[in-house]
Every structure is written in structure tokens, then in C-alpha cells.
Amino acid sequence: MQLCGRSRQQIVCGSRARQARRHWPTPARKVTPLTRLLSSQLAVKDHLITGALALYPGLSATTPSEVASNLSVLGSLAPAKQVRSLVLSNPQLLTLPLESWVDFFSHYGLSTSEFWRLLCSNPSVLLHGSVFSAGRAIMFLKTLGWTELEISTIMIPFHAVILQMDVEKQLLPVFNHLVQDKGLLPEAAQAYLHQHPQLLYTKNFKAVIQQQLRRERMKHLQHSL
């Protein structure tokens, strides 16, 4: 749906960019090759770029060629105004291997427009994860019976946080709890997680599972009366 000629996604990205800039420091003006590159490519004033560099030191450590490559990747995904809004709200995205992420998600069936939506709505998946950890998480989902189509159309768009989680420390314990502590057969535990995938990233998953199973037992008893 278009709102005033702009999509909801554009409005979200633009709003985040404005909120991020309010908290940027105002360092002494220091124009570097990276500052000039970003100022030119994003069509913004130098002080906004120096503010971003001061707030995100990792960006200053990134070479201009790496930043230019990432800007090129983003430019292939969306118009310049949307790229500017995204970068100003999340400058640290320019420190990542974005081309590798595009290739990774493309392998699992995500289109470039779907990848762009993920960048705007959930950049933390990339900022706090890695291609390696995301690949391991997807392999784990496959062992639980999710197909590649379900992963690309359901799990990544709506449960993307799973991709930045540790399989052994965070994901597998949920499955093991259902089997070892709650007595579900592996097949039943898989089916249960397909119905409630959010349990894989729920911190207090044990308490939530306990409540859900209690409600389901009560419903079963009521129907049997």
C-alpha cells in the first residue's frame, strides 16, 4: 500500500534514519577519503558522515573500496533515496560483506526485493550474525523438517532472528527440552515447533511450553467429556 507516494517500507527506513541522526555526535570537521566518498554517493553533507563515523568506529576502519562495493550492492537493490535512508539509519551495514549475504539468501530462494525488505525491517540479522551461523541455522531447520520453500517464504521473512542464533546453545536446547523433558517423540517435537516456531527464539521457552501444553491438555479433557 502506498502512503503519500511512499511505501510503508520507505517510511520506516526514513523514520529510522532521522531518529539515528538525532543521536549522532557533532565532532570537529575532518574530511577523509571515506567521508568524501559517502558524502558524494549518498548526497548528504559532510557533518552527517563525520557524525556516523564517530558513532560507529568500525565504519572508519573499513576501506573506501569496501564501502564503495557495499554501496554498489545496495544501489542494485533499491533507488538512491531508499539506500540513503537505510545507510543513515544503519551505517554499520557498510562494514559487512553484503555481496556474500545477497548470494547466501539468493541460494535459499530470496529475491533481491525480499532481501531489501529484510535489510530494512531486521538489519540485526546481518549486524549480529554471520553467513556461517545463518547457514548452520538453516541446516538445523532442515533437520527439523522445514523445506527450502518454507524456509524462504516463512522462516526467513517472519522468523529471521533464528538465523543469528547459535544452534548448539540456543536452538537445539528447545528441541531437546520437548523430547527429553516433556516426553514428546522426535516427530511430535518437530510438528510442535512447526506450529510454534517462535519458541526457537523465546528466552523463557520452558515456561511458555509448559503453559501451552497445559492449555492443550485442558482442551483435550474438555472435548473428551
Side-chain angles (χ1 to χ4, degrees), residues 64-78:
S65 62
E66 290 171 327
V67 170
S69 176
N70 279 332
L71 287 172
S72 177
V73 171
L74 294 175
S76 69
L77 301 175

